[in-house]
Amino acid sequence: MRQLLNVGDAFVISGRGIVIVARAELPEARLTAGDHFDLILPTGRRCALTALGVEQFTKCFTEATTLGILVGNQLDTVDGVIGSELWIRTY
């Protein structure tokens, strides 16, 4: 695995679930819907997740490497998600 993104925010969208907002550390970093990744919380807890949808925030932010990652109901809460690291699984 390798570090892909740092989580800056997370919120709940009614009817869709949790969206993680993260910034890529590597310019060549890519994440697409269906990719599996691990979210490592600041507490050290590791959550295995699948990206249900991925959107780039190119119109809202100055960096095209800011992503919104839909994880739906795979997480119980958004509490404690800010400051997490997202690691992509490499097989």
Side-chain angles (χ1 to χ4, degrees), residues 4-41:
L4 182 65
L5 304 163
N6 284 325
V7 177
D9 201 0
F11 52 92
V12 178
I13 296 178
S14 180
R16 300 282 309 215
I18 294 174
V19 173
I20 297 170
V21 179
R23 184 178 57 83
E25 289 297 310
L26 304 171
E28 68 275 5
R30 297 285 180 255
L31 184 71
T32 59
D35 285 350
H36 301 285
F37 62 91
D38 288 336
L39 185 68
I40 302 174
L41 302 173

Side-chain angles (χ1 to χ4, degrees), residues 20-73:
I20 297 170
V21 179
R23 184 178 57 83
E25 289 297 310
L26 304 171
E28 68 275 5
R30 297 285 180 255
L31 184 71
T32 59
D35 285 350
H36 301 285
F37 62 91
D38 288 336
L39 185 68
I40 302 174
L41 302 173
T43 61
R45 181 176 162 224
R46 183 181 301 251
C47 304
L49 304 171
T50 301
L52 302 176
V54 179
E55 293 289 330
Q56 281 190 332
F57 293 119
T58 55
K59 294 181 182 176
C60 299
F61 299 98
T62 58
E63 296 181 13
T65 55
T66 302
L67 302 175
I69 304 152
L70 176 65
V71 296
N73 296 321

Side-chain angles (χ1 to χ4, degrees), residues 18 48-49 77 79 81 84-85:
I18 294 174
L49 304 171
T77 181
D79 294 337
V81 173
S84 299
E85 296 177 349

